Amino acid sequence: MCVFCKIAKKEIPTEFLYEDDLTVAFRDIHPIAPVHVLVIPKKHIESVANITEVDERLMGRLILTAKKIADDLKISKEGYKLLIRVGEYGGQEVPHIHLHLIGGARLSEDIKPI
Ligand code: AMP
């Protein structure tokens, strides 16, 4: 089982900022900004490259969950970044879809070729 499945199933104790029937959210272990939260589907899907039409509602829920958390953490007015890395060139390290919610400070543009 992958590390994010273990977190979702509470096999690795992790404080959830949010949980519903489809998603859970928790703080990134290596934050790159004052707010750095990961929103993941409870269902194991390796990457966006693996989603199908069946996952349309789930992928929408990930964004709605991130928006709710941004509102709760009061970073919506100033703005934030949502990021999903896909595969090797996208820099994805954990093979379970996760949406990064990054904010709480003005963010630099960091999407550039190596
Ligand atoms: P990515 O590079 O998009 O695959 O992002 C993976 C993210 O997961 C990184 O920002 C890691 O810091 C984070 N991460 C890995 N393991 C954990 C964990 N056990 N709890 C919280 N965040 C984690």
Side-chain angles (χ1 to χ4, degrees), residues 1-12 44 96:
M1 199 190 299
C2 86
V3 61
F4 285 178
C5 280
K6 286 183 181 164
I7 288 174
K9 291 179 194 301
K10 303 184 171 89
E11 290 181 14
I12 296 176
H44 181 81
H96 181 129

Side-chain angles (χ1 to χ4, degrees), residues 48-81:
V48 167
N50 301 101
I51 61 173
T52 68
E53 281 72 16
V54 170
D55 302 308
E56 185 173 349
R57 185 161 163 267
L58 175 59
M59 295 308 292
R61 183 72 68 82
L62 286 183
I63 294 177
L64 270 174
T65 298
K67 184 233 176 207
K68 281 182 189 161
I69 294 166
D71 289 347
D72 286 349
L73 298 179
K74 305 195 185 323
I75 61 168
S76 296
K77 187 162 159 264
E78 290 78 13
Y80 50 86
K81 188 179 285 190

Side-chain angles (χ1 to χ4, degrees), residues 3-4 7 12 14 26-32 36 38 83-86 90-96 98 100:
V3 61
F4 285 178
I7 288 174
I12 296 176
T14 302
F26 50 90
R27 291 193 189 273
D28 195 291
I29 205 167
H30 297 304
I32 61 165
H36 189 171
L38 301 176
L83 172 69
I84 301 180
R85 296 194 171 98
V86 183
Q92 182 178 358
E93 289 174 0
V94 177
H96 181 129
H98 46 285
H100 294 256

